[in-house]
Amino acid sequence: MGRPPCCDKVGVKKGPWTPEEDILLVSYIQDHGPGNWRAVPTNTGLLRCSKSCRLRWTNYLRPGIRRGNFTDHEEKLIIHLQALLGNRWAAIASYLPERTDNDIKNYWNTHLHKKLKKLEANGVSSSSSHQPISKGQWERRLQTDIHMAKQALCDALSFDKPDCPPPELKPSLANYSSRSSASSTSTTTTTYASSTENISRLLEGWMKKSPTPGKGRASSGSTQHSETNNPGDSVLCVESATTTPDVSAESGKGSTDQVQLPMELLETWLFDESIGGSYGQEELGDLELYEF
DNA sequence: AAGGGGGTCAACCGCTCGCGG
DNA sequence: TCCGCGAGCGGTTGACCCCCT
């Protein structure tokens, strides 16, 4: 019984991706854009399941991903968003455009959840322990709030263009290529590091050639937050816009500063508005116990 | 110096959702 | 309206790495 496998298990490779596979995948996406994952294994010759390809792209190869050390801001946001949204990592990730849902999930499970548990053990009430309003009611309110917040954000940041600019690759790739060397600080680099840099260069060339990833975006209208820059759909737009070429010229410093604004706006919104009732207050109290 | 244990993170699994026929 | 398929999402696993004994 059971459901049929998503793809032929026979001959499907599993486990860690090799640099060669990464390059194959990236160059395919370079030509065709992300989406239509079903066709990727056959068209690339990769012995991987389509899901695996998608996952690899969204969680690792996709430009614009920042890895390693979460900032205090991000940490706070995650905690609050988790309190609001529950374990909807994809939704949470849409507010942290440089992070993948997998990353956030891992970070939550390995760091934050433990932290909160510790606090709980110390007698501080946990966020997950109370759900004061009914779920349906709460979700409706949340959706409205989110929608309003997005609008406010876009307004505040003057996003008059319906299309968000594509993620500027330089900062993204800097992050990407530094992932193996800088973020994890050290040891894990070795052979793969150079390979990821190769891929970075590849991607850089791609984005220079075709600055509008529209192909990719259009190719699968249903692609999720992480692979698309749906206009007004997430803070990703904000981030994208802030990392314009001029800005990116200032390298790393620029990008973190640029992200600051939407983060603060969101925080304000999170702290002040939508969780204003009994829901958020305790959380806020919890937070202040952290040494952020 | 070596072994064990815990932590971290990339990747897999399976369920759900949404779209198109 | 129903059904099938593909994509997305969240939970879980397993391999690797680091630190401690």
Side-chain angles (χ1 to χ4, degrees):
Chain A
M1 283 231 326
R3 25 182 319 111
C6 73
C7 48
D8 243 350
K9 292 286 178 190
V10 187
V12 172
K13 196 180 165 196
K14 287 196 210 171
W17 281 64
T18 65
E20 290 77 22
E21 288 176 310
D22 281 345
I23 291 170
L24 267 177
L25 180 58
V26 167
S27 53
Y28 176 81
I29 292 173
Q30 183 180 351
D31 290 337
H32 301 88
N36 194 13
W37 296 107
R38 187 81 177 171
V40 173
T42 45
N43 291 346
T44 56
L46 281 167
L47 300 173
R48 295 279 181 173
C49 139
S50 56
K51 278 170 136 186
S52 184
C53 295
R54 181 180 58 82
L55 218 62
R56 182 64 179 172
W57 171 256
T58 54
N59 287 340
Y60 200 90
L61 298 173
R62 174 174 62 97
I65 295 177
R66 188 148 59 96
R67 312 191 70 86
N69 305 335
F70 279 68
T71 65
D72 289 350
H73 259 86
E74 288 173 318
E75 201 169 288
K76 277 187 198 175
L77 260 180
I78 292 169
I79 291 170
H80 278 264
L81 287 166
Q82 205 278 341
L84 277 167
L85 300 164
N87 294 353
R88 294 177 183 176
W89 305 117
I92 293 172
S94 68
Y95 290 89
L96 293 154
E98 296 179 317
R99 304 291 185 178
T100 69
D101 51 356
N102 207 34
D103 240 9
I104 292 171
K105 180 172 60 182
N106 281 334
Y107 188 66
W108 174 266
N109 289 333
T110 56
H111 294 90
L112 299 179
H113 194 50
K114 240 177 267 175
K115 233 178 186 179
L116 289 177
K117 264 192 174 173
K118 235 182 215 172
L119 283 172
E120 198 176 356
N122 288 343
V124 179
S125 66
S126 136
S127 60
S128 55
S129 61
H130 51 277
Q131 297 234 338
I133 55 179
S134 79
K135 202 176 173 182
Q137 189 186 359
W138 172 80
E139 284 193 348
R140 270 194 302 278
R141 200 180 82 181
L142 179 66
Q143 288 203 342
T144 312
D145 284 344
I146 288 174
H147 181 71
M148 284 169 62
K150 281 178 189 166
Q151 291 235 314
L153 270 178
C154 283
D155 287 349
L157 293 158
S158 314
F159 278 162
D160 36 15
K161 285 206 303 181
D163 257 324
C164 288
E168 193 54 35
L169 251 271
K170 278 188 179 159
S172 311
L173 285 172
N175 293 328
Y176 171 71
S177 57
S178 70
R179 174 255 171 197
S180 40
S181 50
S183 69
S184 53
T185 10
S186 68
T187 55
T188 61
T189 58
T190 68
T191 56
Y192 197 77
S194 58
S195 303
T196 55
E197 280 162 18
N198 291 341
I199 297 168
S200 300
R201 277 197 290 274
L202 220 146
L203 275 168
E204 188 170 14
W206 167 38
M207 294 305 282
K208 274 178 183 164
K209 269 189 293 180
S210 53
T212 46
K215 222 185 358 178
R217 194 166 70 213
S219 68
S220 88
S222 62
T223 46
Q224 67 176 103
H225 69 280
S226 52
E227 12 186 313
T228 62
N229 304 332
N230 291 343
D233 198 36
S234 77
V235 191
L236 186 50
C237 290
V238 173
E239 192 260 352
S240 302
T242 53
T243 50
T244 53
D246 340 335
V247 174
S248 68
E250 300 210 359
S251 74
K253 168 187 168 280
S255 65
T256 43
D257 286 348
Q258 297 304 320
V259 176
Q260 199 75 358
L261 177 57
M263 287 286 191
E264 282 176 2
L265 281 169
L266 270 171
E267 241 181 31
T268 307
W269 165 65
L270 282 168
F271 290 164
D272 296 345
E273 287 290 329
S274 85
I275 57 175
S278 60
Y279 203 49
Q281 295 301 352
E282 284 179 52
E283 254 308 295
L284 203 55
D286 292 357
L287 259 184
E288 286 168 1
L289 293 172
Y290 288 125
E291 296 168 14
F292 281 130

